[in-house]
Amino acid sequence: DVKVTQSSRYLVKRTGEKVFLECVQDMDHENMFWYRQDPGLGLRLIYFSYDVKMKEKGDIPEGYSVSREKKERFSLILESASTNQTSMYLCASSFRQYTQYFGPGTRLTVL
Amino acid sequence: GNSVTQMEGPVTLSEEAFLTINCTYTATGYPSLFWYVQYPGEGLQLLLKATKADDKGSNKGFEATYRKETTSFHLEKGSVQVSDSAVYFCALTGNTGNQFYFGTGTSLTVIP
């Protein structure tokens, strides 16, 4: 059974904190993705990675960075959290352009 | 470029009603098309997919047919249940590159 896990379901942080969101997949997928989901805006792609140590900016990369040191793990970093980064964050993985598999999501609140 | 447009919600139906959620797309080449479902508080799950024109994807009583001539992939179910209440996303991926393109989602509520 395919599995994508995210480090936290709920997270509360303060403005200015550095925040790490981690995602792990056990399917040996090449591609991994980070999205944020906001009401009325659907899913917006933040960053994706098609190989270890490789990354590409998505539609809204500002204020975020990513790290992929191992194939199964893709981390999203908020360098200095701000209130407008309060959102649901979804991680996904895929083999090439085929089906994306999603984790359960992390609901982040920045106070 | 690639994009997906799906009907805006929210949609409210009575149990056993017929469901249609419209989805149209713009894409270069020959995309694969997907419907994902998101239940409250969860991530997205693949509901069904179709990889070429005239293919029909189906799962859990839901169906969608890949119509190249109308660039559409409408989701249908003949008789909805309360447990189908969720947000539904239409998506495509091109035959080159690795990105997915999602619609904005359609919220469905089924009332007993």
Side-chain angles (χ1 to χ4, degrees), chain B residues 70-87:
Chain B
T70 53
T71 62
S72 65
F73 192 55
H74 304 322
L75 182 68
E76 297 182 336
K77 187 175 185 182
S79 176
V80 292
Q81 305 300 312
V82 172
S83 56
D84 294 325
S85 298
V87 180

Side-chain angles (χ1 to χ4, degrees), chain A residues 10 12-13 16 24 26 28 30-31 33 45 49 57 59 62-63 67 69 79 90 98 100 106 109:
Chain A
Y10 300 94
V12 179
K13 296 292 182 182
V24 177
D26 66 357
D28 202 35
E30 305 152 333
N31 302 323
F33 306 81
L45 181 64
S49 168
K57 292 181 180 179
D59 301 317
E62 297 77 18
S67 172
E69 297 296 318
E79 296 290 342
L90 294 168
Y98 302 116
Q100 286 198 357
T106 295
T109 302

Side-chain angles (χ1 to χ4, degrees), chain A residues 16-109:
Chain A
E17 281 192 79
K18 190 168 186 176
V19 181
F20 292 87
L21 303 182
E22 296 208 322
C23 176
V24 177
Q25 51 97 1
D26 66 357
M27 296 165 283
D28 202 35
H29 284 166
E30 305 152 333
N31 302 323
M32 297 188 75
F33 306 81
W34 275 107
Y35 297 89
R36 62 177 284 176
Q37 181 180 17
D38 300 287
L41 298 177
L43 274 69
R44 292 182 290 168
L45 181 64
I46 305 171
Y47 268 97
F48 67 99
S49 168
Y50 51 88
D51 202 352
V52 176
K53 297 192 186 295
M54 305 301 286
K55 61 184 179 184
E56 292 281 345
K57 292 181 180 179
D59 301 317
I60 52 164
E62 297 77 18
Y64 303 94
S65 62
V66 291
S67 172
R68 191 156 180 214
E69 297 296 318
K70 294 185 177 181
K71 191 174 186 180
E72 68 270 19
R73 189 180 298 269
F74 192 35
S75 301
L76 179 70
I77 303 154
L78 286 66
E79 296 290 342
S80 177
S82 64
T83 55
N84 63 12
Q85 292 178 310
T86 291
S87 186
M88 169 73 99
Y89 290 88
L90 294 168
C91 175
S93 72
S94 75
F95 173 65
R96 295 185 187 171
Q97 73 273 35
Y98 302 116
T99 304
Q100 286 198 357
Y101 294 90
F102 283 81
T106 295
R107 185 164 294 282
L108 172 67
T109 302

Side-chain angles (χ1 to χ4, degrees), chain B residues 16-86:
Chain B
E16 299 183 3
F18 184 84
L19 169 70
T20 300
I21 301 177
N22 290 337
C23 172
T24 57
Y25 67 89
T26 302
T28 54
Y30 303 94
S32 295
L33 301 173
F34 303 80
W35 277 100
Y36 281 83
V37 59
Q38 184 180 33
Y39 298 105
E42 299 184 12
L44 277 68
Q45 303 174 24
L46 177 67
L47 181 59
L48 53 85
K49 67 180 181 182
T51 58
K52 61 182 188 295
D54 299 325
D55 267 3
K56 178 186 281 187
S58 61
N59 186 25
K60 299 181 181 179
F62 291 89
E63 293 183 339
T65 302
Y66 187 165
R67 302 282 188 202
K68 190 167 175 64
E69 64 275 14
T70 53
T71 62
S72 65
F73 192 55
H74 304 322
L75 182 68
E76 297 182 336
K77 187 175 185 182
S79 176
V80 292
Q81 305 300 312
V82 172
S83 56
D84 294 325
S85 298

